[in-house]
């Protein structure tokens, strides 16, 4: 049974993608098509802010891309040296909040200790942060994407937790997306299931999927990586057959397996 994963490959090059691996263990033949491309911006501003940990109460990362922006900042030897010698230690005296395991492991790679990774989405992370932080103390620094949702900033503002957002990447449609989808449907035919991994993915892919699947779209079981993506699918009239309990390969595979009563 074929499953189409509308996501970018994992950050590291070593070994197969964990989603393909996990679905394969249930006998699914999964294919991954990259949906998004990213452009990093304001990296100099980001480094200036990272150079002044004393001005902030901590850090928030809600996507792997935001951590990648920090990594790019630290590529220059002088900046990397400053980070290794003192900045990292100073930030480690504060909290670094994250959503999801992929983001947490990248945060560990830059030498920080993530917390909140099990929250799974921005709503839950916001609640977790509010339980840990004191209202009206130093701002939390939030490097984020241009398409960030307002859930986390809104909840923190309501609770008096100060936040300083900085847009460090912009999201666009992957240049090969339409061609990749066309090739997939013409060569592999109709997948049993299609999994969406972000609201942007829904926005960029849906028209192509409807075009290439023709009258057979209603035979496909659509899966979502989390509640935010499921909401975006429902808003576009896509029936959601399953939503992963947590944004992990294990939970998504288990959800899809359940849909097919395997």
């Amino acid at each position: 049974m074929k499953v189409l994963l509308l996501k970018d490959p994992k950050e590291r090059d070593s070994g197969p993608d964990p989603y393909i691996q996990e679905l394969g263990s249930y006998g699914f033949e999964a294919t991954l098509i990259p949906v998004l491309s990213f452009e990093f911006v304001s990296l100099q501003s980001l480094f200036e802010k990272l150079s002044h940990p004393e001005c902030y109460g901590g850090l928030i990362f809600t996507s792997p891309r935001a951590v990648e922006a920090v990594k790019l900042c630290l590529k220059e030897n002088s900046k990397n040296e400053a980070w290794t010698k003192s900045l990292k230690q100073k930030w480690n005296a504060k909290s670094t909040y994250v959503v999801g395991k992929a983001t947490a492991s990248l945060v560990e790679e830059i030498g920080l200790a993530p917390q909140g990774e099990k929250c799974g989405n921005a709503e839950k992370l916001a609640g977790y942060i509010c339980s840990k932080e004191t209202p009206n103390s130093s701002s939390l620094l939030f490097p984020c994407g241009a398409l960030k949702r307002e859930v986390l900033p809104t909840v923190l503002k309501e609770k008096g937790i100060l936040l300083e957002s900085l847009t460090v990447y912009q999201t666009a449609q992957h240049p090969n997306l339409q061609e990749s989808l066309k090739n997939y449907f013409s060569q592999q035919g109709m997948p049993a299931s299609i999994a969406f991994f972000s609201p942007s993915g829904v926005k960029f892919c849906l028209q192509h999927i409807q075009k290439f699947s023709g009258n057979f779209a209603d035979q496909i079981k659509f899966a979502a990586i989390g509640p935010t993506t499921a909401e975006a699918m429902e808003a576009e009239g896509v029936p959601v057959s399953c939503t992963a309990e947590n944004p992990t390969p294990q939970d998504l595979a288990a959800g899809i397996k359940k849909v097919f009563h395997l």
Side-chain angles (χ1 to χ4, degrees), residues 29 49 78 81-82 86 101 116 118 133 145 186-187 191 206 215 220 228:
E29 187 189 329
K49 292 176 190 302
S78 58
E81 204 175 309
S86 68
K101 285 185 177 173
K118 290 195 175 120
E133 294 291 325
S186 62
Q187 290 162 19
L206 200 54
N215 301 329
I220 300 168
T228 310

Side-chain angles (χ1 to χ4, degrees), residues 78-90:
S78 58
K79 291 175 178 173
N80 201 333
E81 204 175 309
W83 178 259
T84 312
K85 276 190 173 167
S86 68
L87 293 176
K88 179 172 69 176
Q89 195 181 351
K90 287 174 183 172

Side-chain angles (χ1 to χ4, degrees), residues 20-223:
I20 290 180
Q21 215 170 3
E22 191 65 30
L23 284 158
S25 71
Y26 289 128
F28 290 109
E29 187 189 329
T31 303
L32 188 148
I33 290 182
V35 172
L36 309 173
S37 66
F38 300 96
E39 182 195 350
F40 291 96
V41 295
S42 310
L43 295 182
Q44 189 53 41
S45 291
L46 177 57
F47 185 73
E48 280 162 20
K49 292 176 190 302
L50 290 171
S51 301
H52 293 283
E54 70 281 359
C55 298
Y56 299 97
L59 283 158
I60 302 176
F61 295 107
T62 56
S63 74
R65 235 60 57 184
V67 192
E68 280 177 24
V70 174
K71 280 184 150 186
L72 284 172
C73 272
L74 304 176
K75 272 205 161 154
E76 280 177 39
N77 284 344
S78 58
K79 291 175 178 173
N80 201 333
E81 204 175 309
W83 178 259
T84 312
K85 276 190 173 167
S86 68
L87 293 176
K88 179 172 69 176
Q89 195 181 351
K90 287 174 183 172
W91 280 109
N92 260 331
K94 305 166 188 290
S95 297
T96 301
Y97 299 105
V98 302
V99 164
K101 285 185 177 173
T103 306
S105 62
L106 285 170
V107 161
E108 284 168 354
E109 282 179 21
I110 58 170
L112 300 178
Q115 54 174 298
E117 67 185 80
K118 290 195 175 120
C119 293
N121 60 43
E123 287 91 333
K124 288 180 185 168
L125 182 66
Y128 178 81
I129 293 170
C130 291
S131 73
K132 297 270 187 184
E133 294 291 325
T134 313
N136 300 314
S137 46
S138 301
S139 295
L140 298 169
L141 179 59
F142 180 32
C144 56
L147 298 177
K148 78 169 189 316
R149 290 167 71 238
E150 290 305 316
V151 173
L152 187 132
T154 304
V155 173
L156 296 188
K157 191 178 178 184
E158 282 168 3
K159 300 286 185 187
I161 309 293
L162 303 177
L163 188 69
E164 188 178 316
S165 303
L166 177 69
T167 299
V168 292
Y169 67 93
Q170 290 166 345
T171 308
Q173 179 176 312
H174 194 284
N176 303 331
L177 177 63
Q178 187 173 350
E179 191 65 22
S180 301
L181 284 168
K182 184 182 173 186
N183 291 342
Y184 178 87
F185 279 93
S186 62
Q187 290 162 19
Q188 305 218 34
M190 206 62 53
S193 177
I194 295 179
F196 286 102
F197 284 74
S198 67
S200 310
V202 177
K203 185 174 90 175
F204 294 142
C205 296
L206 200 54
Q207 54 176 354
H208 302 312
I209 288 168
Q210 285 163 341
K211 180 177 152 189
F212 299 132
S213 59
N215 301 329
F216 298 101
D218 56 355
Q219 295 177 16
I220 300 168
K221 304 291 185 192
F222 290 98

